[in-house]
Amino acid sequence: MITADNGLTRCEKNVINGLLATMLLASCTLWGCGQRGDATRVFVASSMTDFIEELIAVDGQNGSANATDVNIAGSGTLLLQINEGARADVVILAGAEYMEELNRTGDFHPPTEFAMTKLSIVIAPDLKDKDLTVRDLWSGKFQGAMCVLSAPCGQLASQYAASQNLDMADLSLEPNVRAVLAKIERGEVDFGFVYHTDLLSSTAGVAEVQGSGASKFSTSYSFAVSNNLKHSAQAQSLTNAITGEVGQRILEELGFNQP
């Protein structure tokens, strides 16, 4: 079962409540809702959504997916939930610093890094045929979006902006990278900062701004396993699948790089 909680602070949750309701309804329709006490709880960074769905579908052939609950959100949100007492058996986060923060709790085994992706600036479908540059996007005619700074994609976007002397004050702030991508796909914003792998996952006709230099900024993905597992065999099956041939094949197909 896969559920989503894309909120950050209580204030931000109230602001995006309508969006969350829509996303949760879609999630419930596909996967069912509620949490099972006997299930392995897997917390997953939102940019790994496609990967975890495909991996569990394959790993489900041995029955483990039937006992897995997946919680998808931004890495900062997942850490907040864990710090507030949420149980997580396996945690997959973007950004080394987020995993380091998780590791400092002492509740998880040392992390394993398994993938990387790069930053990308993406434009909406109705602009894909225009030869737009980064400077064009900052001309005042276009509306952009980025992740909040508590998400790794937001931090990368901020670092990129600093390197290019770009003012990000007018960009819409979204809870995670998939929320940014969704706004671009629907044409609610003209451009936004996502990961290259999110661009590859889109079927809406979005396009990448060429020559932006955004690809110089990358993030890594790691997983960590709880010290207090109730169902160690299920968690081990999942982590073996991540680092094994199947998981690595899925990552390659989705455009992720080796760390």
Side-chain angles (χ1 to χ4, degrees):
M1 168 174 49
I2 296 183
T3 57
D5 182 355
N6 295 319
L8 292 168
T9 66
R10 289 181 176 84
C11 178
E12 288 170 323
K13 288 180 181 179
N14 290 334
V15 172
I16 62 171
N17 185 61
L19 174 62
L20 285 175
T22 302
M23 295 177 67
L24 182 58
L25 177 60
S27 178
C28 292
T29 301
L30 290 171
W31 302 95
C33 289
Q35 299 178 8
R36 297 163 291 178
D38 62 341
T40 298
R41 292 279 289 155
V42 184
F43 281 33
V44 182
S46 60
S47 49
M48 274 281 163
T49 298
D50 295 336
F51 171 69
I52 199 65
E53 288 179 355
E54 291 192 32
L55 186 71
I56 287 180
V58 173
D59 198 39
Q61 295 175 5
N62 64 23
S64 63
N66 294 326
T68 303
D69 284 338
V70 180
N71 175 36
I72 296 174
S75 294
T77 300
L78 297 175
L79 279 175
L80 178 62
Q81 293 171 350
I82 292 170
N83 289 335
E84 291 182 344
R87 178 176 70 86
D89 299 314
V90 179
V91 180
I92 299 174
L93 298 178
E97 66 275 19
Y98 288 85
M99 187 54 77
E100 289 171 3
E101 182 178 341
L102 179 72
N103 201 37
R104 284 195 293 270
T105 67
D107 296 328
F108 292 83
H109 293 289
T112 298
E113 190 176 76
F114 67 94
M116 294 185 68
T117 191
K118 300 175 182 179
L119 190 67
S120 177
I121 304 177
V122 174
I123 55 177
D126 61 346
L127 296 175
K128 68 179 181 180
D129 294 328
K130 299 182 181 296
D131 187 21
L132 295 173
T133 67
V134 171
R135 296 301 168 184
D136 292 332
L137 296 177
W138 262 263
S139 66
K141 300 178 181 179
F142 301 100
Q143 174 63 49
M146 61 179 283
C147 296
V148 293
L149 291 178
S150 59
C153 56
Q155 291 188 352
L156 285 187
S158 180
Q159 292 169 16
Y160 170 80
S163 74
Q164 301 293 317
N165 196 28
L166 298 173
D167 184 0
M168 306 286 269
D170 292 333
L171 271 66
S172 168
L173 296 178
E174 306 302 325
N176 59 58
V177 71
R178 284 307 174 97
V180 174
L181 180 64
K183 294 198 76 166
I184 301 169
E185 290 176 330
R186 294 192 296 263
E188 295 176 11
V189 295
D190 300 304
F191 70 94
F193 290 86
V194 299
Y195 295 130
H196 182 66
T197 41
D198 297 297
L199 165 66
L200 295 178
S201 74
S202 177
T203 59
V206 299
E208 185 174 24
V209 176
Q210 299 298 316
S212 69
S215 63
K216 296 177 182 178
F217 297 81
S218 62
T219 192
S220 63
Y221 293 87
S222 304
F223 67 79
V225 179
S226 171
N227 291 330
N228 187 28
L229 287 177
K230 291 185 178 180
H231 307 285
S232 58
Q234 295 167 7
Q236 189 66 53
S237 174
L238 180 64
T239 56
N240 285 346
I242 291 173
T243 57
E245 180 179 349
V246 172
Q248 294 304 302
R249 173 180 56 78
I250 295 172
L251 287 168
E252 182 179 357
E253 291 174 351
L254 293 175
F256 289 95
N257 298 319
Q258 293 292 323

